[in-house]
Amino acid sequence: LAGAGFRVGWITAGGLDTAPGIGPDAPAPGAAARAADDWDSRIYAVSPGNIEWLTTLGAWAGVAQARVCDVTTMQVSGDDGDARIGFDTRTARKPRLAAICESRNLATGIERALQTCADRVTRIAGRVAELRIGERTASVTLDTGATVRAPLVVAGDGADSSIREFASITVTSHAYEHTAVVANLRCAAPHYGVARQWFFGDSVLALLPMPQDRRSMVRSCADAHARFLLDLSAPALCDEVARVTGGETGAVEPVTGAQGFPLKVQQVDRLVAPRVALVGDAAHTVHPLAGQGMNLGLGDCRELARVLAGRGPQPDLGDIALLQRYQRARAEPIAAMRVATDGLFRLFASDFPGVARMRNLGLGWVDGSTLLKRRLILAAMA
């Protein structure tokens, strides 16, 4: 928005979670970089479409490419030991399916891009304590006592968004009673840019490729099993990963400690209200088994920026009719991702007779359809 000529006030309690020693001018990861324990256990699989958009914003140039790994192949295994589906760059006709990037590395790139438009972005420290909607402006009162006024408030304040609550936007939330356990590992077997995912009944394990044959582990499982995994010593957790993957990883060593993130799906009754627009986790949360949560949020930002920049003669950025253009454009992508991820979770968690055989047959059927596979992967790469 700043690049399009808008004046932006960024209300933030703590800024972006960047890290020293990360950036295009930093040395390649080595002893000096590791001294700061700078490998981030939270990573994103950024889609090619969002990489292109971040490049136009100048943010991708600030990302340390030595710490980014391209995904060239994705392999998904069912829970019968035989069913598989694979996607690759040849099917997609693209040079990469995604790029695995640490959260702090991406934040550093965004921070550097913000510096180029600092004259149009005002950082305002504090948390939102109150929101009032007026005829021409919205008024935000912070916990510091300061008041900020603008024609439009964009709520990017997460799954427990206070702005969403103040705007009286209803959210329906369902806890999966599952937790995503994440950690970075070093595996003896090279990954060759392959992202692997295994379904084990009601749990999912993903190993995503990172530089220097590191891999990012995401194990989504029932809360009780997640607590068991989080209580394991680092070597014991590595042994568990090697066991459940049938030794495909070779010997496994820890790079970062494990962290747990409770999982839930959230759906709002609307993305907009007068002078308010929701983006990211404030607008939706989905199961992480497809790795598309961040991409879905960036898609919100892309579309909202497009609508506001292309508003034509409409002078009021907070006009509900204008904001509804954004809502209409995002309705289908959000719903499709929510239905797909929630449906897959429930399908593989089901213990109804015959369901296991059908879901594994389905994987094999999709794997045999080049056209369908290409449509699926292109949707995820947008």
Side-chain angles (χ1 to χ4, degrees):
L1 291 174
F6 295 99
R7 291 181 57 211
V8 180
W10 176 26
I11 299 171
T12 171
L16 291 169
D17 181 20
T18 59
I22 297 181
D25 303 322
R34 285 196 299 270
D37 190 27
D38 59 13
W39 284 96
D40 195 346
S41 60
R42 191 162 196 174
I43 61 94
Y44 301 116
V46 188
S47 71
N50 279 323
I51 291 172
E52 182 178 346
W53 181 62
L54 290 167
T55 299
T56 65
L57 299 180
W60 197 248
V63 170
Q65 296 303 311
R67 303 176 68 106
V68 173
C69 186
D70 286 349
V71 176
T72 57
T73 304
M74 177 174 287
Q75 296 179 357
V76 180
S77 299
D79 55 357
D80 65 352
D82 295 317
R84 290 195 175 194
I85 183 172
F87 303 92
D88 56 31
T89 54
R90 181 177 57 185
T91 303
R93 301 174 194 170
K94 299 286 185 179
R96 58 185 167 190
L97 303 182
I100 305 301
C101 181
E102 299 160 87
S103 177
R104 290 200 301 263
N105 192 9
L106 181 58
T108 299
I110 295 171
E111 178 68 44
R112 291 186 173 219
L114 281 168
Q115 292 171 6
T116 67
C117 53
D119 58 326
R120 296 184 298 281
V121 178
T122 301
R123 303 188 190 208
I124 306 162
R127 298 181 184 275
V128 176
E130 185 181 29
L131 171 68
R132 292 180 179 273
I133 304 299
E135 184 177 345
R136 296 185 178 276
T137 62
S139 177
V140 175
T141 302
L142 306 181
D143 58 359
T144 61
T147 299
V148 185
R149 294 180 178 84
L152 173 64
V153 176
V154 179
D157 54 342
D160 298 320
S161 170
S162 59
I163 296 174
R164 182 183 64 209
E165 183 177 355
F166 288 134
S168 299
I169 296 176
T170 301
V171 60
T172 302
S173 180
H174 171 71
Y176 283 114
E177 297 182 346
H178 275 217
T179 297
V181 179
V182 302
N184 288 346
L185 312 171
R186 183 181 292 105
C187 302
H191 55 61
Y192 300 113
V194 179
R196 289 296 317 270
Q197 189 170 60
W198 292 263
F199 283 94
F200 302 106
D202 68 344
S203 71
V204 185
L205 170 66
L207 291 180
L208 307 178
M210 295 181 68
Q212 303 176 18
D213 278 328
R214 291 173 168 84
R215 303 196 201 192
S216 171
M217 179 199 78
V218 184
R219 182 75 188 266
S220 303
C221 53
D223 291 341
H225 189 62
R227 287 191 294 270
F228 163 76
L229 294 175
L230 291 167
D231 286 341
L232 290 176
S233 66
L237 179 62
C238 291
D239 290 343
E240 174 69 5
V241 171
R243 183 188 69 80
V244 298
T245 59
E248 289 189 28
T249 57
V252 182
E253 299 176 1
V255 175
T256 67
Q259 293 180 274
F261 299 93
L263 301 181
K264 61 182 175 180
V265 59
Q266 289 194 158
Q267 179 180 357
V268 296
D269 65 339
R270 53 203 167 112
L271 292 179
V272 300
R275 310 212 170 279
V276 176
L278 308 183
V279 297
D281 284 359
H284 42 70
T285 60
V286 296
H287 196 286
L289 61 84
Q292 292 297 306
M294 167 62 83
N295 288 315
L296 203 60
L298 291 179
D300 298 340
C301 299
R302 288 163 61 182
E303 184 59 31
L304 182 60
R306 187 193 68 80
V307 166
L308 296 180
R311 68 193 184 284
Q314 169 60 271
D316 186 354
L317 299 181
D319 181 76
I320 190 64
L322 175 65
L323 297 179
Q324 284 172 342
R325 297 183 200 171
Y326 159 69
Q327 177 171 268
R328 287 193 295 270
R330 293 304 294 159
E332 182 177 346
I334 293 171
M337 186 59 64
R338 183 179 62 250
V339 169
T341 54
D342 188 65
L344 276 173
F345 167 78
R346 296 183 186 282
L347 180 65
F348 277 89
S350 174
D351 57 2
F352 284 174
V355 172
R357 183 171 183 273
M358 291 301 296
R359 66 196 178 211
N360 287 297
L361 285 174
L363 277 183
W365 179 78
V366 174
D367 192 49
S369 173
T370 301
L371 179 61
L372 180 55
K373 283 203 301 183
R374 187 164 188 271
R375 292 187 65 176
L376 288 172
I377 199 63
L378 289 180
M381 293 170 64

